[in-house]
Amino acid sequence: MGGEYRIKGDKYPRMRRPRGRRRIVLAAAASLAVAGLLGWGSLQLIDVFTGDDKASAAGGTKDCVTKKAEADPARRGERKPLPKPGQITVNVFNATPRSGLAKDAADELKKRGFAIGKVGNATKAYDKKVRGTGILLGARAATDTALPVLGTQIAGAEKQTDTRKGGEVDLILGSRFKDLAKKEDADRALAALANPAPASSKAPSTDGKNC
């Protein structure tokens, strides 16, 4: 080209793209990113409101927690029914050198409604070997039934189980035994045992780790 438009030297003008096109591309990319985020958020909300149904249908976390609650009697609020004193037969044995303790204790327990079985001295396995107030001895099935009920009548007695099959329980009086609990104290303890205060419990975990 000649004249005033003639190119001089070894530098040439560079052709640049219009800036308007770049702005359009950036705006389109931003719009796509926002749309993707909105779509992901919508899916998360759907999972929140429908996740319980899916977990239940697939045997997931909720189903696991529900099964645990159903299998645990404490969570269902169920307890083994406590027997009444008249349904408990108590054998009273004296393991101390003092005479007459077994008979006196048996007579008082009878006044309080307990059925009385054998009364006498303790066997060699326990004679003069019980240093506390006494031992409550019964079958394993009596651990949370007959033994706690009898335990309301004597403070500090130790609960033990053996391999017996019958429902009778033994009260073995120890060297520290002086007398049974006062009747009013025993009645309060028995009422509290029959109607325990509800224990606070933590909400079951729903993270699925304990399934």
Side-chain angles (χ1 to χ4, degrees):
M1 300 178 64
E4 59 179 336
Y5 296 104
R6 185 168 59 87
I7 297 174
K8 299 178 180 179
D10 56 355
K11 295 183 179 181
Y12 298 90
R14 296 181 180 180
M15 303 300 291
R16 296 182 180 178
R17 295 180 180 179
R19 293 185 179 180
R21 183 179 300 177
R22 183 179 299 176
R23 291 178 182 178
I24 294 174
V25 172
L26 291 176
S31 299
L32 289 175
V34 171
L37 289 174
L38 291 175
W40 180 82
S42 299
L43 290 176
Q44 294 300 313
L45 289 175
I46 292 173
D47 287 341
V48 167
F49 289 105
T50 63
D52 287 346
D53 294 337
K54 291 180 180 179
S56 177
T61 302
K62 182 181 178 182
D63 191 37
C64 172
V65 173
T66 302
K67 288 180 179 179
K68 282 188 176 182
E70 292 175 353
D72 188 352
R75 290 187 181 183
R76 296 198 307 265
E78 296 179 3
R79 301 174 64 252
K80 288 185 178 180
L82 293 173
K84 296 180 180 180
Q87 298 174 309
I88 303 174
T89 299
V90 184
N91 302 316
V92 185
F93 300 114
N94 184 6
T96 77
R98 294 170 287 165
S99 62
L101 289 183
K103 184 179 182 305
D104 292 343
D107 290 343
E108 182 61 28
L109 286 174
K110 187 175 182 179
K111 292 179 183 179
R112 298 182 184 186
F114 289 86
I116 303 300
K118 299 176 183 179
V119 179
N121 293 325
T123 61
K124 291 182 180 180
Y126 296 98
D127 189 28
K128 300 179 181 65
K129 297 177 182 178
V130 181
R131 298 185 178 182
T133 57
I135 293 176
L136 308 179
L137 185 63
R140 184 173 297 179
T143 301
D144 52 1
T145 54
L147 291 183
V149 173
L150 180 58
T152 61
Q153 309 300 309
I154 175 172
E158 179 183 355
K159 299 180 182 66
Q160 295 183 8
T161 60
D162 55 17
T163 58
R164 71 181 66 190
K165 300 298 181 183
E168 295 185 355
V169 294
D170 299 342
L171 170 57
I172 305 173
L173 304 176
S175 60
R176 294 185 181 178
F177 175 79
K178 294 181 179 180
D179 202 351
L180 295 176
K182 294 181 180 180
K183 188 177 185 304
E184 54 269 26
D185 294 337
D187 289 344
R188 281 195 294 267
L190 189 58
L193 184 66
N195 299 286
S200 60
S201 58
K202 296 181 179 180
S205 175
T206 57
D207 57 5
K209 294 181 181 180
N210 295 326
C211 296

